[in-house]
Amino acid sequence: MKSIVVRPLQNFSVIEKETPKAGGNRVLIRSKYTAICGSDKGSWMHREDFAIGHEYAGYIEDPGEFPIAKGTPVCAPEFDPCGECEYCMAGEEQRCRQMMENNPGVSVDGSLGEFYTVRGEYVIPIPEDMPMQLGAIVEPVAVSLHGVRLGKVKPGDTVLIWGNGPIGIYAAATAKLSGAKAVYMVGRGKGRVELCKKYEFVDDCFSTLDEDFEEQIKAVMPAGGFSAGLDCLGLSNYNQLASFLKAGATMVLVGMHSRETTFSPFSMFFKELSIQAALYFNWKDYQDAFKMIYENQELFLGTITSIIPAEPEEIQKMFVKLFESGSNDECKALIEFKD
Ligand SMILES: [Zn+2]
Ligand SMILES: [Zn+2]
């Protein structure tokens, strides 16, 4: 099969690869849509001959042992849990030690190959009244929803989201759809801040470049502070975020943060704040994210800001725009294979 891979590093080429096979607990998918994720930057820089793509929607090519027709448009999580350990039994698949074993676009070639396999029992057919490209964003929406849930966001809450990339934007959307009364965001570059202000689920977005940035946040902060604070950026210090939260609130680390961070225990003590890491999502989060998207299609279509053809030059241009230009006005960019 044809596979679009990183070759040379920080560039893309088409090469021939062996087509993977359905069988056992896996079904074979033919690529249609792939969404680009911030985590793909690392693969682009360091993994030669790797096919990225872990946020996808495609067609069933070979259902193997599963009762689903060839040609059905589907989406599926990339995860590969064992189904038997204490975490899987508790519905916390993200903690399973086998979770990462066979993950398209993460641990094995992903959806920039013409074909890839996923776990058959986690495939969700995309109904006719839902645009297929929405299937490709279920994964990042599930990541954000998982973070919102760990932040214990409940109806009536006012939430502060730090970081306005796609995961921050989907955290805002899923917090609002989970009943939050108001959602405020913090970004940096003016272009992205303006993009976020336009979303109906964002009550306002502030820029840390503004001198009176703290005052702007305090002006909208409920008495006592925000109910939850989601770090969707990877802050190097938690004191400022902690200062905006109310007693008992949780700060959630959403997405993969590898930067060293510091906090003053005093900023935590007097309000009994918690810090909670959020790893990926579980199967329930993925199903619920799918449902949220299905029921709010216009809202989520508004977060897909570009759809580009699956051509190495086009993908390269988009990667440079997203990861090297320093600032851009994209939320989710999708790569589309021809039918
Ligand atoms: Zn991702
Ligand atoms: Zn397990």
Side-chain angles (χ1 to χ4, degrees):
M1 67 169 185
K2 298 232 176 306
S3 186
I4 300 172
V5 297
V6 176
R7 179 192 281 192
L9 289 179
Q10 291 188 62
N11 220 315
F12 292 95
S13 302
V14 180
I15 64 169
E16 277 295 322
K17 284 216 181 190
E18 203 178 318
T19 306
K21 286 186 175 59
N25 59 17
R26 305 199 67 94
V27 298
L28 185 67
I29 308 289
R30 179 160 59 84
S31 278
K32 180 61 182 172
Y33 291 106
T34 295
I36 302 172
C37 170
S39 68
D40 293 329
K41 182 185 177 186
S43 303
W44 181 54
M45 293 180 67
H46 304 296
R47 297 172 77 179
E48 197 155 32
D49 287 356
F50 181 68
I52 66 151
H54 61 273
E55 303 176 0
Y56 44 68
Y59 300 103
I60 295 283
E61 177 70 15
D62 181 350
E65 292 165 16
F66 291 86
I68 180 164
K70 183 178 173 178
T72 307
V74 298
C75 60
E78 74 274 37
F79 67 22
D80 189 26
C82 78
E84 288 167 0
C85 70
E86 61 173 305
Y87 305 116
C88 286
M89 298 307 274
E92 300 288 5
E93 291 88 357
Q94 76 282 10
R95 296 181 190 164
C96 174
R97 285 173 68 182
Q98 192 196 292
M99 170 81 177
M100 300 286 294
E101 205 107 306
N102 197 347
N103 286 205
V106 181
S107 55
V108 297
D109 277 334
S111 56
L112 286 194
E114 229 178 322
F115 300 100
Y116 52 98
T117 70
V118 302
R119 290 279 292 271
E121 68 269 51
Y122 299 124
V123 154
I124 302 183
I126 299 172
E128 265 177 29
D129 59 351
M130 174 167 161
M132 192 177 169
Q133 60 264 39
L134 287 174
I137 64 166
V138 178
E139 200 264 8
V141 173
V143 168
S144 297
L145 177 61
H146 187 62
V148 164
R149 286 177 164 168
L150 288 175
K152 304 181 190 76
V153 173
K154 52 186 190 315
D157 278 357
T158 299
V159 179
L160 183 61
I161 293 171
W162 211 289
N164 64 347
I167 290 296
I169 290 170
Y170 290 143
T174 53
K176 210 60 184 273
L177 293 170
S178 301
K181 186 174 73 187
V183 176
Y184 295 97
M185 297 186 80
V186 174
R188 198 176 146 81
K190 286 288 179 189
R192 291 201 70 81
V193 166
E194 289 307 315
L195 170 82
C196 292
K197 281 177 192 275
K198 282 187 206 133
Y199 288 123
E200 64 195 84
F201 49 86
V202 177
D203 289 83
D204 209 345
C205 184
F206 307 107
S207 167
T208 53
L209 297 174
D210 285 350
E211 252 173 48
D212 61 342
F213 152 76
E214 285 214 2
E215 283 70 51
Q216 290 179 32
I217 293 189
K218 281 180 188 150
V220 299
M221 187 173 88
F226 293 95
S227 322
L230 276 63
D231 174 16
C232 299
L233 178 71
L235 286 166
S236 56
N237 182 300
Y238 278 117
N239 295 338
Q240 192 176 36
L241 176 55
S243 73
F244 294 128
L245 301 183
K246 75 178 201 184
T250 303
M251 291 187 264
V252 191
L253 286 66
V254 193
M256 280 282 190
H257 305 163
S258 53
R259 192 164 19 167
E260 293 271 319
T261 189
T262 59
F263 64 88
S264 144
F266 270 118
S267 70
M268 314 278 297
F269 269 126
F270 294 104
K271 293 197 276 189
E272 284 199 321
L273 300 178
S274 309
I275 294 185
Q276 166 78 55
L279 177 66
Y280 304 115
F281 53 85
N282 56 44
W283 175 225
K284 183 175 190 317
D285 295 322
Y286 190 90
Q287 291 172 283
D288 291 344
F290 182 91
K291 193 161 171 277
M292 269 186 178
I293 294 170
Y294 179 71
E295 289 170 354
N296 299 276
Q297 296 185 17
E298 285 307 314
L299 182 157
F300 284 101
L301 281 171
T303 67
I304 297 175
T305 45
S306 286
I307 300 183
I308 59 169
E311 308 287 348
E313 312 75 45
E314 296 288 332
I315 300 169
Q316 176 65 11
K317 258 195 273 169
M318 184 55 78
F319 267 63
V320 168
K321 181 180 181 188
L322 292 176
F323 302 129
E324 283 190 342
S325 66
S327 119
N328 69 80
D329 53 3
E330 298 282 351
C331 178
K332 266 292 167 193
L334 263 57
I335 298 163
E336 181 180 14
F337 280 75
K338 287 199 198 97
D339 270 332

mmCIF file with all atom_site columns, all heavy atoms in Angstrom, residues 37 39 54-55 139, ligand 1:
data_model
loop_
_atom_site.group_PDB
_atom_site.id
_atom_site.type_symbol
_atom_site.label_atom_id
_atom_site.label_alt_id
_atom_site.label_comp_id
_atom_site.label_asym_id
_atom_site.label_entity_id
_atom_site.label_seq_id
_atom_site.pdbx_PDB_ins_code
_atom_site.Cartn_x
_atom_site.Cartn_y
_atom_site.Cartn_z
_atom_site.occupancy
_atom_site.B_iso_or_equiv
_atom_site.pdbx_formal_charge
_atom_site.auth_seq_id
_atom_site.auth_comp_id
_atom_site.auth_asym_id
_atom_site.auth_atom_id
_atom_site.pdbx_PDB_model_num
ATOM   1  N  N   . CYS A 1 37  ? -2.457  16.582 15.159 1.00 0.00 ? 37  CYS A N   1
ATOM   2  C  CA  . CYS A 1 37  ? -2.437  16.813 16.608 1.00 0.00 ? 37  CYS A CA  1
ATOM   3  C  C   . CYS A 1 37  ? -1.093  17.434 16.981 1.00 0.00 ? 37  CYS A C   1
ATOM   4  O  O   . CYS A 1 37  ? -0.068  17.158 16.340 1.00 0.00 ? 37  CYS A O   1
ATOM   5  C  CB  . CYS A 1 37  ? -2.608  15.467 17.300 1.00 0.00 ? 37  CYS A CB  1
ATOM   6  S  SG  . CYS A 1 37  ? -2.340  15.479 19.078 1.00 0.00 ? 37  CYS A SG  1
ATOM   7  N  N   . SER A 1 39  ? 0.813   16.576 19.215 1.00 0.00 ? 39  SER A N   1
ATOM   8  C  CA  . SER A 1 39  ? 1.786   15.523 19.530 1.00 0.00 ? 39  SER A CA  1
ATOM   9  C  C   . SER A 1 39  ? 2.446   14.962 18.263 1.00 0.00 ? 39  SER A C   1
ATOM   10 O  O   . SER A 1 39  ? 3.475   14.294 18.334 1.00 0.00 ? 39  SER A O   1
ATOM   11 C  CB  . SER A 1 39  ? 1.119   14.398 20.321 1.00 0.00 ? 39  SER A CB  1
ATOM   12 O  OG  . SER A 1 39  ? 0.206   13.705 19.505 1.00 0.00 ? 39  SER A OG  1
ATOM   13 N  N   . HIS A 1 54  ? -3.351  9.568  14.472 1.00 0.00 ? 54  HIS A N   1
ATOM   14 C  CA  . HIS A 1 54  ? -4.066  8.810  15.506 1.00 0.00 ? 54  HIS A CA  1
ATOM   15 C  C   . HIS A 1 54  ? -5.449  9.412  15.768 1.00 0.00 ? 54  HIS A C   1
ATOM   16 O  O   . HIS A 1 54  ? -6.163  8.971  16.648 1.00 0.00 ? 54  HIS A O   1
ATOM   17 C  CB  . HIS A 1 54  ? -3.242  8.766  16.803 1.00 0.00 ? 54  HIS A CB  1
ATOM   18 C  CG  . HIS A 1 54  ? -2.970  10.119 17.377 1.00 0.00 ? 54  HIS A CG  1
ATOM   19 N  ND1 . HIS A 1 54  ? -1.901  10.887 17.005 1.00 0.00 ? 54  HIS A ND1 1
ATOM   20 C  CD2 . HIS A 1 54  ? -3.659  10.862 18.273 1.00 0.00 ? 54  HIS A CD2 1
ATOM   21 C  CE1 . HIS A 1 54  ? -1.919  12.040 17.658 1.00 0.00 ? 54  HIS A CE1 1
ATOM   22 N  NE2 . HIS A 1 54  ? -2.988  12.048 18.425 1.00 0.00 ? 54  HIS A NE2 1
ATOM   23 N  N   . GLU A 1 55  ? -5.798  10.443 14.990 1.00 0.00 ? 55  GLU A N   1
ATOM   24 C  CA  . GLU A 1 55  ? -7.143  11.040 15.076 1.00 0.00 ? 55  GLU A CA  1
ATOM   25 C  C   . GLU A 1 55  ? -7.732  10.865 13.687 1.00 0.00 ? 55  GLU A C   1
ATOM   26 O  O   . GLU A 1 55  ? -7.330  11.540 12.752 1.00 0.00 ? 55  GLU A O   1
ATOM   27 C  CB  . GLU A 1 55  ? -7.027  12.529 15.443 1.00 0.00 ? 55  GLU A CB  1
ATOM   28 C  CG  . GLU A 1 55  ? -6.263  12.751 16.747 1.00 0.00 ? 55  GLU A CG  1
ATOM   29 C  CD  . GLU A 1 55  ? -6.057  14.235 17.092 1.00 0.00 ? 55  GLU A CD  1
ATOM   30 O  OE1 . GLU A 1 55  ? -6.504  15.107 16.323 1.00 0.00 ? 55  GLU A OE1 1
ATOM   31 O  OE2 . GLU A 1 55  ? -5.448  14.496 18.143 1.00 0.00 ? 55  GLU A OE2 1
ATOM   32 N  N   . GLU A 1 139 ? -11.447 11.785 18.912 1.00 0.00 ? 139 GLU A N   1
ATOM   33 C  CA  . GLU A 1 139 ? -10.320 11.475 19.806 1.00 0.00 ? 139 GLU A CA  1
ATOM   34 C  C   . GLU A 1 139 ? -9.871  12.690 20.616 1.00 0.00 ? 139 GLU A C   1
ATOM   35 O  O   . GLU A 1 139 ? -9.837  12.649 21.846 1.00 0.00 ? 139 GLU A O   1
ATOM   36 C  CB  . GLU A 1 139 ? -9.176  10.863 18.986 1.00 0.00 ? 139 GLU A CB  1
ATOM   37 C  CG  . GLU A 1 139 ? -8.194  10.075 19.824 1.00 0.00 ? 139 GLU A CG  1
ATOM   38 C  CD  . GLU A 1 139 ? -6.969  10.854 20.242 1.00 0.00 ? 139 GLU A CD  1
ATOM   39 O  OE1 . GLU A 1 139 ? -6.905  12.076 20.023 1.00 0.00 ? 139 GLU A OE1 1
ATOM   40 O  OE2 . GLU A 1 139 ? -6.068  10.244 20.803 1.00 0.00 ? 139 GLU A OE2 1
HETATM 41 ZN ZN  . ZN  B 2 .   ? -3.811  13.712 19.497 1.00 0.00 ? 1   ZN  B ZN  1
#
